[in-house]
């Protein structure tokens, strides 16, 4: 069918100091959802969750964080609009772009929730969607946040990130990370200084923002099957997965992982 560009039902509890909820109708496939907002800033749209059947598949500390990921992929940014890209426009061709669309034929509930800060002036939020043919839920993009911290500067080893599906990208939200290593089963798959890693990403059409985050991007050619698999071709699972950032200063930071996987699991 032709794409449909329509307004979604009104959100509940769009007011300062409340949790707003968008109940998304089922029966179609969602390419993207666009929140048109006023009277509230991106920083005041907080604790964003995308849920399917009551399970969180994507979470963001605030809309600034979601916008940062959209900017990394050079997705169109429009003032007053916050977009959830389920279809990934950075993929190589239409079939690959559409692999992660949200089909709702076999879904019981689909919703987006977020808190509106008490300081918001006069929040107004309307939701719109790009819809396509009905389909079942298949591969999706899960966006998971894992807080970390270090009492000292220098090399920090993280070995407790869940292993699932394929990892499209890892984003470390701390400005002063100078190098990152990624290792699976004692084999390094990434060991680049921040400046070199960012330069390679620019060569492939990305827009890294060194002042906000350091990204490790495993699908630079727009091929999801180049993403870092958490199983071997024979089906055996990866046993050990480690991320080693070099921190120029101590402190807390967030690790945001983009998984390409099915609904089950984390």
């Amino acid at each position: 069918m032709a794409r449909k560009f329509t307004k979604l039902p009104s959100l509940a509890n769009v007011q300062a100091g409340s949790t707003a909820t968008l109940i998304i109708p089922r029966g179609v496939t969602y390419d993207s959802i666009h929140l048109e907002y006023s009277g509230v800033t991106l920083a005041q749209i907080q604790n964003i969750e995308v849920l399917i059947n009551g399970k969180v598949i994507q979470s963001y500390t605030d809309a600034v964080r979601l916008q940062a990921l959209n900017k990394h992929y050079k997705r169109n940014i429009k003032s007053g609009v916050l977009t959830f890209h389920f279809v990934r426009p950075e993929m190589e061709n239409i079939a690959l772009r559409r692999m992660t669309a949200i089909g709702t034929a076999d879904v019981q509930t689909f919703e987006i929730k977020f808190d509106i800060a008490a300081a918001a002036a006069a929040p107004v939020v309307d939701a719109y969607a790009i819809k396509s043919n009905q389909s079942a839920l298949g591969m999706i993009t899960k966006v998971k946040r894992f807080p970390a911290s270090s009492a000292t500067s220098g090399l920090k080893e993280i070995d407790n990130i869940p292993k699932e599906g394929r990892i499209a990208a890892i984003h470390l939200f701390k400005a002063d990370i100078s190098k990152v290593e990624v290792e699976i089963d004692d084999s390094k798959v990434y060991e680049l200084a921040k400046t070199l890693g960012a330069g390679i990403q620019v060569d492939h059409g990305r827009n890294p923002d060194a002042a906000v985050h350091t990204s490790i991007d495993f699908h630079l050619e727009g091929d999801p099957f180049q993403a870092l698999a958490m199983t071997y071709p024979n089906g055996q699972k990866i046993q050990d997965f480690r991320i080693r950032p070099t921190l120029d200063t101590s402190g807390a930071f967030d690790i945001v992982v983009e998984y390409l996987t099915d609904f089950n699991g984390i």
Side-chain angles (χ1 to χ4, degrees), residues 4-258:
K4 292 184 178 179
F5 306 80
T6 61
K7 188 174 182 180
L8 293 174
S10 298
L11 288 81
N13 298 321
V14 179
Q15 54 189 351
S18 294
T19 299
T21 302
L22 172 65
I23 303 298
I24 303 164
R26 295 167 294 135
V28 296
T29 295
Y30 288 90
D31 296 5
S32 58
I33 290 176
H34 309 260
L35 300 184
E36 192 173 56
Y37 64 91
S38 62
V40 60
T41 68
L42 289 174
Q44 292 170 337
I45 299 173
Q46 302 168 345
N47 303 317
I48 301 170
E49 294 182 338
V50 181
L51 304 97
I52 293 176
N53 295 346
K55 175 181 173 179
V56 178
I57 63 163
Q58 296 185 6
S59 64
Y60 308 91
T61 54
D62 54 33
V64 175
R65 176 73 54 87
L66 173 54
Q67 207 75 308
L69 296 185
N70 284 337
K71 289 177 181 178
H72 174 79
Y73 293 109
K74 285 190 174 180
R75 298 166 181 166
N76 187 32
I77 303 294
K78 297 184 71 66
S79 178
V81 178
L82 182 66
T83 301
F84 296 82
H85 289 275
F86 304 121
V87 168
R88 299 183 64 117
E90 63 276 359
M91 294 301 183
E92 181 183 24
N93 59 52
I94 190 168
L96 296 179
R97 290 193 287 271
R98 296 197 53 76
M99 284 181 67
T100 52
I102 303 293
T104 62
D106 54 349
V107 164
Q108 282 70 55
T109 61
F110 183 25
E111 56 190 320
I112 294 175
K113 294 183 177 181
F114 54 88
D115 295 335
I116 300 176
V124 176
V125 183
D126 291 312
Y128 298 82
I130 300 178
K131 308 172 186 175
S132 54
N133 287 343
Q134 176 175 285
S135 65
L137 187 66
M139 179 184 285
I140 58 176
T141 302
K142 292 181 183 175
V143 180
K144 298 290 183 173
R145 169 183 171 255
F146 305 101
S149 64
S150 177
T152 62
S153 61
L155 189 67
K156 170 73 173 178
E157 184 162 274
I158 297 123
D159 62 0
N160 59 352
I161 300 298
K163 301 179 286 292
E164 179 177 319
R166 292 176 180 268
I167 291 178
I170 303 166
H171 310 276
L172 294 92
F173 279 84
K174 192 176 191 300
D176 56 351
I177 293 174
S178 54
K179 182 181 179 180
V180 183
E181 300 176 3
V182 178
E183 183 178 283
I184 55 172
D185 289 348
D186 296 321
S187 175
K188 288 184 180 178
V189 296
Y190 188 96
E191 49 176 340
L192 296 180
K194 180 176 188 173
T195 51
L196 177 56
I200 292 171
Q201 291 167 23
V202 171
D203 291 341
H204 287 81
R206 300 291 197 251
N207 181 35
D209 188 352
V212 177
H213 56 84
T214 298
S215 294
I216 305 99
D217 194 325
F218 291 110
H219 63 313
L220 291 172
E221 293 184 336
D223 181 358
F225 298 104
Q226 291 179 356
L228 186 64
M230 293 290 102
T231 56
Y232 292 105
N234 64 3
Q236 181 181 351
K237 294 182 179 180
I238 298 296
Q239 297 300 306
D240 189 65
F241 172 50
R242 295 172 187 265
I243 304 170
R244 297 191 186 98
T246 298
L247 311 177
D248 293 343
T249 62
S250 62
F253 58 100
D254 277 348
I255 303 169
V256 175
V257 182
E258 294 184 65

